[in-house]
């Protein structure tokens, strides 16, 4: 199998396995995967607390993020607030009602990582992190050049 095929196959398998770890959380808390993804993004990325942040960092569509935020607000899981002096940007705050869902989602993420990185040494992990960092930089650069 060539590098491209192997890379694509691994990406598909990683997504499939990740979905398998998060699906029970969605079912347990009666929420969509997108709703859980929004909560987990906000919980795992302090300082990134707007719908725009979610869209830009996760590459989700604006409509999916918007409808998920509305659903989470209706359930009492999220609250939008303006910061003093800025009444344009709505900052999203996770409410206590979402604590169990977030905790279950983060545990599922930890279990996924334990499964995927089992048997990988610290040295291998550091090397992999550097390689994926370079791959990510190359992808970001190519996407910017393509969009110009």
């Amino acid at each position: 199998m060539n590098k491209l095929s192997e890379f694509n196959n691994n990406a598909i398998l990683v997504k499939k396995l990740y979905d398998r770890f998060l699906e029970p959380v969605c079912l347990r808390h009666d929420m969509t995967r997108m709703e859980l993804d929004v909560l987990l993004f906000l919980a795992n990325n302090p300082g990134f607390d707007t719908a725009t942040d979610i869209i830009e960092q996760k590459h989700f569509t604006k409509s999916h993020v918007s409808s998920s935020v509305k659903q989470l607000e209706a359930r009492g899981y999220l609250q939008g607030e303006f910061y003093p002096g800025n009444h344009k940007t709505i900052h999203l705050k996770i409410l206590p009602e979402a604590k169990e869902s977030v905790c279950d989602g983060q545990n599922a993420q930890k279990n996924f990582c334990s499964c995927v990185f089992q048997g990988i040494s610290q040295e291998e992990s550091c090397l992999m992190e550097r390689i994926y960092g370079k791959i990510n930089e190359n992808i970001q650069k190519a996407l910017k050049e393509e969009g110009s």
Side-chain angles (χ1 to χ4, degrees):
M1 190 181 297
N2 68 38
K3 287 180 189 176
L4 179 59
S5 294
E6 191 172 342
F7 184 81
N8 285 334
N9 191 45
N10 282 339
I12 291 165
L13 291 175
V14 165
K15 183 186 176 335
K16 191 175 199 173
L17 183 62
Y18 187 66
D19 291 345
R20 190 175 292 169
F21 274 85
L22 290 183
E23 185 179 351
V25 178
C26 293
L27 292 172
R28 187 176 317 120
H29 296 282
D30 191 31
M31 63 176 46
T32 67
R33 174 59 187 281
M34 182 62 68
E35 291 166 356
L36 181 60
D37 285 341
V38 166
L39 283 176
L40 290 174
F41 176 84
L42 293 169
N44 294 337
N45 298 282
F48 291 94
D49 63 356
T50 67
T52 300
D53 290 333
I54 298 166
I55 293 162
E56 289 176 355
Q57 296 296 314
K58 297 293 286 181
H59 305 282
F60 293 151
T61 63
K62 185 176 180 178
S63 60
H64 284 124
V65 171
S66 178
S67 66
S68 295
V69 166
K70 285 179 186 170
Q71 285 295 107
L72 291 166
E73 285 176 325
R75 291 180 70 161
Y77 285 11
L78 278 185
Q79 178 181 345
E81 55 187 33
F82 293 105
Y83 286 173
N86 180 351
H87 290 281
K88 285 186 175 182
T89 305
I90 299 173
H91 296 271
L92 302 169
K93 178 181 172 186
I94 298 175
L95 298 175
E97 289 81 358
K99 184 179 180 181
E100 188 178 337
S101 298
V102 169
C103 186
D104 286 351
Q106 288 174 323
N107 284 333
Q109 288 177 323
K110 286 176 191 164
N111 292 337
F112 166 79
C113 287
S114 293
C115 176
V116 171
F117 297 110
Q118 179 179 334
I120 295 176
S121 71
Q122 183 67 34
E123 182 181 310
E124 291 168 324
S125 181
C126 290
L127 177 60
M128 191 170 68
E129 193 173 317
R130 285 197 312 271
I131 291 169
Y132 278 122
K134 288 180 182 181
I135 290 170
N136 188 42
E137 286 175 20
N138 292 340
I139 292 169
Q140 295 292 341
K141 182 181 172 185
L143 287 172
K144 284 180 185 172
E145 289 172 359
E146 184 181 291
S148 311

